[in-house]
Amino acid sequence: MIHGLTFKEYIDEEKQKLSEMTKAEKKDYFKEYYLKTCIVAFICLILFIWFLTELVLSFRHVIVTGGVIGAQINEDGSNFLQDDYMEYLGRSKAFYKVNFAPYIILDENDPSTVMALEAELATNSYNYLISTEKGLQFVLATECLADLDEALDKKLKDSVSDRIVYMKIGESGEEIAAAIDITDTAFAKEYLLAGDNVYFILTGKAEDYEHGLDVLRYILRKTS
């Protein structure tokens, strides 16, 4: 009910009023009674569409999560590991996304950055990391990384056999295949500024290793 009238009766009454008005009177009537309502309704519609879009995007499936420690990656490099990688996989941004941290802060003089990265590694927040040796040593100390001798399939292991870096892990001192040296790859030469060797580290849950290894294959296939 609108002013004691049914919706149909209200519409009929408004039609009758408008039919008796001149063009100028109709404009004034609209401005006085309906313009503000229309503006508010339009704003509400835009906000609803924005909220709905954000809600849908927030539920996109994360394909892989990676980050960079100690090295600088340029904008093209970030795009290569995000948008270009999505395109390479043939995945739609409407339903999938790649999480990537281009600059993971690790400052031993700032305990908060150390604790934050330790917590992220302990909770398997990353599938892979691209790091200088300082970052690699830090990850080794946490023991939150894969032994590549166990994680790599034969084909991939054969293709990177001369790049595998063996290092001792944590307090046990056990030597494992800790990382892949990607310093002289086309990817590193074009996108990274490190001033040091750069390594690919596989992290996260064992059942998710293949997500990180797919990124490694993608990086290695870049030739120019």
Side-chain angles (χ1 to χ4, degrees):
M1 302 289 286
I2 304 175
H3 303 305
L5 303 174
T6 65
F7 183 72
K8 184 177 183 305
E9 290 171 339
Y10 176 77
I11 292 298
D12 290 339
E13 184 179 274
E14 289 298 293
K15 285 182 178 180
Q16 181 62 35
K17 285 182 184 179
L18 291 170
S19 67
E20 296 171 357
M21 295 179 185
T22 65
K23 189 174 182 179
E25 289 173 333
K26 288 177 181 178
K27 287 183 179 180
D28 291 338
Y29 185 75
F30 175 80
K31 289 178 181 179
E32 184 174 353
Y33 292 99
Y34 292 106
L35 183 59
K36 289 182 180 178
T37 301
C38 288
I39 291 173
V40 171
F42 179 74
I43 292 173
C44 289
L45 177 61
I46 294 298
L47 289 174
F48 174 74
I49 292 172
W50 173 81
F51 173 77
L52 189 61
T53 301
E54 289 297 311
L55 185 63
V56 170
L57 292 178
S58 69
F59 283 101
R60 289 179 298 173
H61 175 70
V62 178
I63 297 173
V64 68
T65 299
V68 177
I69 304 174
Q72 294 181 31
I73 186 167
N74 60 33
E75 186 176 348
D76 288 341
S78 290
N79 288 335
F80 179 79
L81 292 174
Q82 294 179 88
D83 293 348
D84 292 353
Y85 186 57
M86 287 275 289
E87 185 177 343
Y88 167 73
L89 294 176
R91 299 292 178 86
S92 168
K93 291 182 182 179
F95 304 105
Y96 299 92
K97 65 179 177 179
V98 169
N99 287 340
F100 182 68
Y103 184 59
I104 298 173
I105 300 174
L106 177 59
D107 183 354
E108 293 175 350
N109 295 319
D110 183 352
S112 65
T113 67
V114 173
M115 289 188 291
L117 185 53
E118 285 178 339
E120 288 178 328
L121 291 170
T123 55
N124 301 307
S125 297
Y126 298 100
N127 298 112
Y128 73 90
L129 293 168
I130 294 169
S131 176
T132 57
E133 185 162 348
K134 177 183 175 181
L136 173 57
Q137 292 289 354
F138 179 87
V139 178
L140 279 165
T142 68
E143 302 188 23
C144 296
L145 73 168
D147 183 342
L148 296 175
D149 276 343
E150 299 177 0
L152 299 179
D153 59 48
K154 185 178 185 306
K155 182 178 179 181
L156 182 55
K157 188 174 182 179
D158 287 345
S159 70
V160 297
S161 60
D162 59 336
R163 297 178 181 274
I164 297 177
V165 177
Y166 288 86
M167 303 183 81
K168 293 181 179 180
I169 184 171
E171 296 180 359
S172 68
E174 178 187 357
E175 188 173 75
I176 67 168
I180 305 293
D181 189 336
I182 59 171
T183 307
D184 65 349
T185 61
F187 166 81
K189 290 176 180 178
E190 184 171 346
Y191 299 137
L192 295 175
L193 177 62
D196 193 1
N197 285 0
V198 183
Y199 304 93
F200 183 96
I201 310 168
L202 188 64
T203 60
K205 297 178 181 178
E207 58 264 35
D208 295 329
Y209 283 167
E210 199 59 32
H211 301 313
L213 292 176
D214 282 342
V215 175
L216 175 60
R217 295 183 183 97
Y218 172 67
I219 287 173
L220 294 175
R221 71 186 294 274
K222 178 176 174 55
T223 57
S224 61

